[in-house]
Amino acid sequence: MTLARPAVAAFQPPRRTLMGPGPSDVPQRVLEAMARPTIGHLDPAFQTMMEETKTLLRYAFQTENKLTFPVSGPGSVGMETCFVNLVEPGDKVIVCVNGVFGGRMLENVKRAGGVPVTVEDPWGRAVDPDKVEAAFTTHPDAKVLAFVHAETSTGAQSDAAALASIARRHGALTLMDCVTSLAGTPVLIDEWGIDAAYSGSQKCLSCTPGLSPVTFGERAIDKVKARKTPVQSWFMDLNLVLGYWSGEGKRTYHHTAPINPLYGLHEALRILAEEGIEQAWTRHRAQHEELKKGFERLGLAFVVPEAERLPQLNAVFVPEGVDDAAARGRLLTEFNLEIGAGLGAYAGKVWRVGLMGHACRPENVAGCLVALEAVLV
Ligand SMILES: *Cc1c(COP(=O)(O)O)cnc(C)c1O
């Protein structure tokens, strides 16, 4: 006896405009790159592509770190890769929490056996460097400072340069989440002295979800090499992954890389390099200004004070008397437009309008404002 054969039609996704917190719109060029023939992950041709991807990622991160590569997995796997490698059981870690993703960092520290020292800031605000300084004064033995540069749950941007310099002065490593910031707003790994950072493929890089670019500096690598206990995750242990992503010409099998998604990331990064990273930052800023004018006209109030706002993630309060889910439902069905709902403490109270990567274009800003106006009357 076998099960009856299921009769299922090919999946035809609707055409949407993705203006939420990610994924963002994926350009046709990236989709076409992903449709090219699959080859072996140890094929010399594939290895050339891997080297180019590392070069392109260094440009995106603005770093000369040799250890810069895409982890096979979503941003959350990049996050976990950073924590399980850099945090040894018993290590004190200062963790800044000003939204959902800071909370996930805290959870990672605990699960890696670290001793967290939490620095809390209100949702919708940047991390306060004075509180971080005070935490180091109280805990001079802290080994790592972890914070989210662009808190996607609220749209707040923290001063990464200031935070990293505090950590360095106190002899600690800096671990930064730049999932939403990378390619949308300046991320200067080397200039700021960030020791380890992770990002995601589906936000301002406009690739499909499922890859997490990471970068590690010398000080971070030294810490991993000096560990007394093995990394508790086999898959994410950098010592093992390294044999696959570095070691030109003598790569060894670690896991089968997601070949075709990597073609997509390679193409997405080529698009970024063609535009120029400064130009990408300027475009995000300019479209944010246009969207802001429209929101003000519609009476939508921003969650984050102007000086701490991210251009690529615009969180506004759902106006009084408007049904959050019904309004977003109409945007999707009548306008094929996806915007993000509120997360955690902001569920039902906030909308998150993304202007990420390829989705950050004048026609999308205009279309979004027309659609919002229609569902708000
Ligand atoms: C999206 C996001 C993540 C998680 O990325 P996934 O690809 O969804 O796992 C982590 N941190 C921040 C700030 C994010 O915006």
Side-chain angles (χ1 to χ4, degrees):
M1 266 290 279
T2 55
L3 292 180
R5 284 188 296 140
V8 177
F11 179 58
Q12 298 292 351
R15 277 212 172 273
R16 308 283 199 213
T17 302
L18 301 179
M19 297 180 74
S24 61
D25 285 343
V26 178
Q28 195 59 28
R29 265 177 70 178
V30 171
L31 295 173
E32 280 166 10
M34 291 175 74
R36 289 174 195 150
T38 304
I39 58 176
H41 69 123
L42 295 172
D43 189 309
F46 187 70
Q47 297 191 15
T48 304
M49 199 261 332
M50 286 165 82
E51 285 309 311
E52 288 173 357
T53 300
K54 284 156 68 177
T55 303
L56 289 161
L57 275 179
R58 288 188 194 105
Y59 174 69
F61 278 121
Q62 293 289 295
T63 183
E64 290 180 13
N65 285 344
K66 277 188 64 136
L67 187 50
T68 303
F69 68 98
V71 168
S72 304
S76 305
V77 181
M79 177 188 276
E80 195 145 345
T81 298
C82 288
F83 281 96
V84 297
N85 280 280
L86 291 182
V87 179
E88 263 196 283
D91 279 356
K92 206 176 253 191
V93 181
I94 297 181
V95 192
C96 305
V97 181
N98 62 338
V100 165
F101 293 100
R104 288 193 183 177
M105 282 186 148
L106 175 61
E107 193 60 33
N108 269 271
V109 171
K110 290 182 191 161
R111 290 182 188 217
V115 179
V117 173
T118 313
V119 170
E120 285 199 53
D121 275 293
W123 279 49
R125 296 304 306 268
V127 172
D128 181 353
D130 291 340
K131 289 187 190 168
V132 172
E133 182 73 55
F136 271 112
T137 309
T138 320
H139 302 278
D141 54 337
K143 298 229 170 76
V144 179
L145 168 68
F147 66 88
V148 179
H149 182 213
E151 185 42 89
T152 322
S153 61
T154 68
Q157 170 161 229
S158 292
D159 186 345
L163 297 173
S165 94
I166 295 170
R168 181 137 308 196
R169 235 182 316 106
H170 291 276
L173 297 180
T174 300
L175 195 174
M176 178 173 82
D177 176 317
C178 54
V179 175
T180 281
S181 45
L182 192 70
T185 194
V187 171
L188 306 171
I189 296 295
D190 287 359
E191 190 178 314
W192 296 345
I194 307 289
D195 297 293
Y198 59 91
S199 190
S201 48
Q202 79 276 30
K203 312 243 171 157
C204 296
L205 293 177
S206 279
C207 184
T208 51
L211 290 168
S212 177
V214 295
T215 185
F216 296 88
E218 286 302 324
R219 292 178 354 130
I221 295 167
D222 289 347
K223 174 130 179 31
V224 178
K225 287 195 173 143
R227 284 181 67 110
K228 290 180 206 73
T229 53
V231 173
Q232 83 266 21
S233 160
W234 176 86
F235 182 72
M236 292 178 230
D237 185 344
L238 278 181
N239 291 301
L240 304 177
V241 180
L242 273 179
Y244 181 58
W245 271 99
S246 47
E248 283 79 2
K250 47 178 171 45
R251 285 205 166 77
T252 50
Y253 168 65
H254 176 262
H255 67 279
T256 309
I259 314 285
N260 294 52
L262 285 167
Y263 299 165
L265 181 63
H266 182 270
E267 191 64 15
L269 290 166
R270 269 174 27 86
I271 293 173
L272 176 66
E274 280 169 19
E275 180 179 19
I277 198 148
E278 296 94 336
Q279 286 75 10
W281 298 333
T282 308
R283 173 169 52 84
H284 283 86
R285 173 63 54 194
Q287 295 313 310
H288 161 77
E289 292 299 334
E290 290 306 309
L291 188 68
K292 187 180 94 178
K293 280 188 226 155
F295 280 177
E296 280 162 2
R297 211 176 57 238
L298 295 175
L300 292 169
F302 275 92
V303 169
V304 178
E306 188 150 9
E308 297 170 7
R309 255 174 232 165
L310 281 166
Q312 64 272 51
L313 198 286
N314 299 270
V316 290
F317 290 105
V318 178
E320 204 75 42
V322 172
D323 181 335
D324 162 44
R328 280 185 297 104
R330 280 191 63 197
L331 291 177
L332 197 65
T333 52
E334 292 172 32
F335 297 91
N336 277 312
L337 173 66
E338 178 181 282
I339 65 165
L343 265 191
Y346 280 160
K349 301 195 176 91
V350 154
W351 285 332
R352 294 179 299 150
V353 180
L355 286 174
M356 296 183 177
H358 186 58
C360 180
R361 299 200 303 276
E363 59 269 37
N364 282 358
V365 171
C368 173
L369 290 170
V370 167
L372 274 175
E373 188 161 11
V375 302
L376 284 175
V377 278

